[in-house]
Amino acid sequence: MHLLFSITWGTISGWWVPACLLLGLLYAWLLYRQPVQLADKFRYILFAVRAIVVTFIALLLVSPLVKSVSYNPQKPLVLVLQDNSQSVNMFKSPGQTAPVVVIDGLSGLKQQLGDGYNVQEFHFDKDLSNGFDKDFNGKQTNISQALHQLNDKFVNQNIGAIVLATDGLYNQGADPQYEAKNFKNSIYTVALGDTVAKRDLLIGNVNYNKTAFLGNDFEIEILTEAYQSKGENIRLNITEDGRQVSSQNLPVTSNSFQKQVTVKLNADKKGLRKFNISIAPVKNEISTQNNSETVYIDVLDAKQKILLLYEAPHPDISVIKQSIENNKNYELKASLVSDLANVKPADYNLVILYQLSPASNGIVQNIIKSKLPLWYIVGGQTDLGNFNSQQKVTRINSGRLEMQEVFAQPVNDFTAFTLSDSSRKKIAALPPLLAPYGSYTLPPPGDVLLKQRIGSVETAFPLLSFADEGGQRIGVLNGEGLWRWQLAEFQTYGNHHAMEELFGQGVQYLTANANRQRFIVYTAKHVFDEGENVLINAELYNDALELINTPDVRIELKNDAGKDYSFLFSRDDKSYQLDAGTLPIGEYNYTGTTKNGDKSFTATGQLTVKPLNLESRQSAANHQLLNTIAKQSGGKMLMPSEINQLAGLIRKNENIKTVVYEDKRYNDIIDVKWVFVIILALLGLEWFLRKREGEV
């Protein structure tokens, strides 16, 4: 690093320099003009010293700026990323260079490039880590996240090149080629893995609703896949709590086979039912980890009663009633608030509050404060201040009472329940609703089913949200004009299937836990991935059905291998929470116990920790993706056998070079310490000479 200093005057005139020098000379002349007992040479030396000192002091008073310029050369960074996921080492063809050998070759890149480059090494699976790793034990791959973390780590630094060694397969995050565009440097990809798919049968995906009603049929959609297995049969079996309930054979007609299978089952038993979906393995199949899935469905017994409250007639009321009552398991009563005297809200499993204003009577306020599931529908008559204070799912900040047209935009990461693809597409194409103008708070990810699209602009504002607030399930629709949706859907498609599915699934989610027990223990989900923390919640109600968490709550988990795990819940607000950490793979039965006064309570349930088999779902490496990333950045894709060419390619790239950064800084001269050192040194010298000659 080189450092240069100079003086700049800023707003001060440079003519002050001769003025300060003239002042120094004048002061020295007045001091030494009279004859003193000094030799002439000492008088001249002391005259010069005093003139310089006074000049410096005068300059300090004028206070010019000292400019310092530093030149800092930065060698180009070469960032090497190695994919440490299981798929890299799981799927390789005979005779192919082993991934471990490729890592050894990349390890030599630092020595091959020499001191002119700053080579740094990383490995990744779902996250980025320092150094190389030869274990290949990552159970998830997120190439986009690794590139994003790398970009954040070296922002505004001289990145010369990125070397990305991977098979191009990812099962988490976005398409990495979009994240790669954020880099302005060359990316060299090393293509690991084999592009030929291996012989494999697997379950690609399972779609299902988490609840069903006793005696009703329900559907499970299963995506079956087969590779390099033409002529075989996919033997698909479904068992309910160990009892086979469905079986079918699917002929594999191609070497890259996919088929969506819809299985209709009957909810003939009440309670939480476990369904195991499996495909029988075939000979020479490369992996059987991806041949099975487990799902849980809560079968409810009672017919759900719904109360719809409103203050004034509106065409939306009949639309909501028709959409919900299409399901024979729901019974809806619509009532004006003024007629509430003849209604007992406690008889209902869900209350829908349609645009209720502050004039609503005390019965409505009691409903809001109760633990009944609620569905708010917000419109032009809604008092937003009152609405914001009643729930925590959505907060609307609006400076004026205006409405604006918003279209529905379905969200992909909503997990509370499932809408069919056809309904999602229909809803996205429906006319706009009228939503209050303003800014909206954003519920946690996974709570928003529909977002607002204003014109062609997709916003993050929620249109339809669902959440669980301390065990009370709440829905919020921030818009009115549902009658437009009903008319438009019928005009275009000749039916109301999307509207009926939307309201049916929403009501099913909200009423799923309406018949509350005094003590319940429930998991965040019924199926956890291997390595994922198992989260369990518990709620205890006193005789007045008020939520309390005074007594201790314990839980015992027992897996199918007979091993027991015991935990004590932590208190959270008025309920209980437990993070049981990671548990071994297997099926678990759990029993929660507590005691309030002289009453003991017990709650039971099931959960599954399944192997995380994401890495075995794709066996054919995606070299096309790696080639695209390399070409769009000006780099090149290399095969493992060409790894020795990498250093030469980097050296020949004229865009990879040392960059010199210039750093300019300005300081007042009074802040420069060496100026004071010079002044003190000169004054000390003057005093010493005068003392030596007897003039002090």
Side-chain angles (χ1 to χ4, degrees):
M1 183 176 71
H2 303 285
L3 191 63
L4 299 176
F5 292 96
S6 62
I7 293 179
T8 182
W9 295 94
T11 59
I12 305 299
S13 172
W15 288 104
W16 281 102
V17 175
C20 292
L21 180 60
L22 183 61
L23 179 63
L25 293 172
L26 179 61
Y27 188 96
W29 177 77
L30 291 173
L31 185 61
Y32 290 105
R33 77 183 191 283
Q34 298 293 337
V36 289
Q37 302 301 318
L38 291 172
D40 287 344
K41 66 176 181 178
F42 285 114
R43 289 180 65 189
Y44 295 146
I45 292 174
L46 292 173
F47 175 87
V49 168
R50 180 53 65 100
I52 293 172
V53 168
V54 174
T55 300
F56 270 113
I57 293 174
L59 283 173
L60 287 176
L61 295 174
V62 175
S63 191
L65 298 176
V66 175
K67 181 174 76 171
S68 60
V69 182
S70 61
Y71 296 94
N72 183 24
Q74 190 177 98
K75 294 185 288 187
L77 284 163
V78 177
L79 309 176
V80 188
L81 281 79
Q82 167 239 327
D83 189 344
N84 191 50
S85 61
Q86 291 178 337
S87 65
V88 171
N89 205 37
M90 188 183 298
F91 306 116
K92 56 182 185 293
S93 60
Q96 187 181 23
T97 305
V100 174
V101 177
V102 176
I103 295 177
D104 291 337
L106 293 175
S107 299
L109 187 62
K110 186 180 297 186
Q111 183 177 0
Q112 295 170 19
L113 289 175
D115 294 335
Y117 300 84
N118 182 6
V119 180
Q120 299 200 29
E121 301 166 346
F122 303 89
H123 71 274
F124 69 93
D125 37 58
K126 65 177 181 179
D127 286 304
L128 185 71
S129 302
N130 293 326
F132 289 153
D133 194 326
K134 299 180 181 180
D135 291 339
F136 301 105
N137 56 4
K139 297 182 180 297
Q140 301 174 63
T141 309
N142 193 336
I143 303 176
S144 179
Q145 175 75 354
L147 292 174
H148 181 75
Q149 291 175 335
L150 197 72
N151 199 8
D152 287 345
K153 188 178 182 71
F154 295 98
V155 63
N156 296 327
Q157 296 192 42
N158 180 25
I159 302 177
I162 293 175
V163 179
L164 177 61
T166 178
D167 54 10
L169 299 178
Y170 61 94
N171 42 55
Q172 298 288 321
D175 190 331
Q177 63 181 312
Y178 298 113
E179 187 64 38
K181 290 180 180 179
N182 293 327
F183 291 91
K184 306 304 179 186
N185 52 273
S186 300
I187 300 178
Y188 296 91
T189 56
V190 180
L192 304 178
D194 190 357
T195 55
V196 178
K198 305 301 184 293
R199 183 178 177 85
D200 194 19
L201 307 183
L202 60 98
I203 297 175
N205 191 34
V206 179
N207 286 325
Y208 64 100
N209 283 314
K210 298 177 182 178
T211 56
F213 290 102
L214 184 64
N216 281 9
D217 291 336
F218 62 93
E219 293 182 345
I220 299 178
E221 293 182 350
I222 306 163
L223 177 62
T224 59
E225 301 180 27
Y227 299 96
Q228 304 301 315
S229 304
K230 185 177 180 180
E232 295 283 354
N233 283 319
I234 295 177
R235 295 188 293 278
L236 180 65
N237 294 296
I238 301 178
T239 61
E240 178 186 359
D241 298 324
R243 174 177 60 93
Q244 182 167 302
V245 292
S246 177
S247 179
Q248 57 181 294
N249 287 336
L250 306 172
V252 179
T253 56
S254 67
N255 281 327
S256 181
F257 176 83
Q258 288 187 345
K259 185 172 183 179
Q260 184 90 9
V261 180
T262 300
V263 179
K264 182 176 289 187
L265 302 174
N266 184 262
D268 57 356
K269 292 182 181 179
K270 179 184 175 182
L272 188 66
R273 318 310 302 171
K274 182 179 72 174
F275 294 87
N276 287 319
I277 306 165
S278 62
I279 292 176
V282 295
K283 187 177 180 180
N284 298 326
E285 186 174 356
I286 192 168
S287 172
T288 58
Q289 293 181 12
N290 49 22
N291 286 35
S292 63
E293 289 286 345
T294 299
V295 301
Y296 287 85
I297 295 177
D298 195 7
V299 179
L300 307 177
D301 187 11
K303 192 170 186 177
Q304 305 298 311
K305 292 185 177 182
I306 301 158
L307 177 61
L308 172 59
L309 294 179
Y310 59 98
E311 284 192 319
H314 194 286
D316 284 355
I317 303 299
S318 61
V319 172
I320 297 171
K321 184 176 177 65
Q322 293 171 24
S323 299
I324 293 176
E325 287 188 333
N326 177 70
N327 189 318
K328 64 181 181 180
N329 294 290
Y330 301 139
E331 179 183 320
L332 185 141
K333 177 178 177 59
S335 174
L336 286 163
V337 174
S338 57
D339 297 334
L340 261 181
N342 301 320
V343 177
K344 294 181 179 179
D347 294 339
Y348 294 89
N349 305 108
L350 168 66
V351 179
I352 300 176
L353 304 174
Y354 187 84
Q355 296 198 55
L356 293 189
S357 71
S360 301
N361 60 30
I363 298 178
V364 175
Q365 299 304 320
N366 290 334
I367 292 173
I368 293 172
K369 293 176 183 177
S370 71
K371 283 295 178 179
L372 279 173
L374 301 174
W375 191 340
Y376 294 87
I377 298 181
V378 180
Q381 303 303 315
T382 303
D383 181 86
L384 297 182
N386 219 24
F387 167 74
N388 290 335
S389 66
Q390 291 168 357
Q391 47 76 47
K392 299 178 181 178
V393 178
T394 300
R395 184 178 182 85
I396 306 174
N397 297 311
S398 179
R400 56 183 189 265
L401 297 175
E402 291 185 15
M403 306 292 284
Q404 63 180 349
E405 291 188 340
V406 297
F407 295 87
Q409 184 66 39
V411 177
N412 293 326
D413 60 1
F414 181 76
T415 58
F417 55 83
T418 304
L419 282 181
S420 65
D421 290 339
S422 61
S423 291
R424 294 168 68 90
K425 292 177 181 177
K426 287 180 182 179
I427 291 171
L430 291 176
L433 299 181
L434 293 176
Y437 177 86
S439 62
Y440 292 68
T441 57
L442 303 181
D447 287 349
V448 180
L449 174 60
L450 303 175
K451 288 184 178 179
Q452 297 181 19
R453 177 168 56 85
I454 302 174
S456 60
V457 179
E458 296 182 10
T459 74
F461 293 163
L463 178 60
L464 178 57
S465 308
F466 293 91
D468 194 316
E469 293 186 358
Q472 181 187 23
R473 293 191 172 180
I474 293 178
V476 177
L477 175 62
N478 298 306
E480 63 172 283
L482 296 169
W483 59 271
R484 299 183 182 180
W485 281 12
Q486 188 186 55
L487 291 176
E489 185 182 9
F490 189 81
Q491 183 177 9
T492 306
Y493 305 103
N495 57 57
H496 303 128
H497 291 171
M499 290 285 291
E500 291 167 357
E501 183 178 355
L502 177 66
F503 275 92
Q505 297 288 29
V507 169
Q508 183 167 301
Y509 167 78
L510 292 170
T511 59
N513 66 344
N515 298 319
R516 188 179 306 284
Q517 301 173 358
R518 290 279 302 279
F519 177 57
I520 59 172
V521 177
Y522 58 97
T523 55
K525 53 186 179 180
H526 296 300
V527 181
F528 293 87
D529 290 325
E530 174 189 4
E532 183 180 7
N533 284 18
V534 175
L535 305 177
I536 307 176
N537 302 283
E539 295 175 2
L540 177 64
Y541 293 84
N542 61 16
D543 292 338
L545 295 181
E546 296 171 329
L547 196 62
I548 60 173
N549 65 355
T550 307
D552 288 339
V553 174
R554 299 183 181 276
I555 189 171
E556 301 284 335
L557 292 98
K558 187 174 184 178
N559 65 10
D560 45 11
K563 189 169 183 180
D564 292 325
Y565 300 85
S566 300
F567 299 95
L568 178 67
F569 277 86
S570 300
R571 292 171 174 83
D572 177 56
D573 194 14
K574 293 183 179 180
S575 58
Y576 300 87
Q577 277 191 347
L578 170 65
D579 184 348
T582 58
L583 296 176
I585 296 170
E587 309 280 344
Y588 290 81
N589 292 302
Y590 62 79
T591 303
T593 57
T594 189
K595 187 175 183 180
N596 186 28
D598 58 353
K599 294 182 179 179
S600 298
F601 299 93
T602 301
T604 60
Q606 294 175 292
L607 64 90
T608 298
V609 179
K610 69 171 185 177
L612 191 60
N613 55 25
L614 294 176
E615 290 297 309
S616 62
R617 290 185 181 275
Q618 304 174 77
S619 60
N622 190 353
H623 289 178
Q624 183 177 355
L625 171 67
L626 302 182
N627 191 45
T628 300
I629 291 175
K631 281 188 174 181
Q632 75 181 13
S633 67
K636 184 180 180 181
M637 186 183 80
L638 302 173
M639 301 306 295
S641 59
E642 301 171 319
I643 199 74
N644 57 345
Q645 302 177 17
L646 188 56
L649 291 171
I650 293 175
R651 286 198 200 94
K652 292 177 183 178
N653 193 327
E654 297 180 354
N655 295 321
I656 305 175
K657 53 191 175 184
T658 298
V659 175
V660 178
Y661 292 95
E662 180 184 73
D663 184 18
K664 294 181 181 179
R665 297 191 180 186
Y666 295 88
N667 299 96
D668 290 329
I669 195 170
I670 199 170
D671 295 327
V672 182
K673 293 181 176 59
W674 58 261
V675 175
F676 293 94
V677 174
I678 293 174
I679 292 174
L680 290 174
L682 291 174
L683 289 174
L685 176 62
E686 182 182 9
W687 178 86
F688 174 77
L689 292 176
R690 289 174 66 94
K691 181 75 174 176
R692 182 170 177 269
E693 298 300 321
E695 287 298 317
V696 177

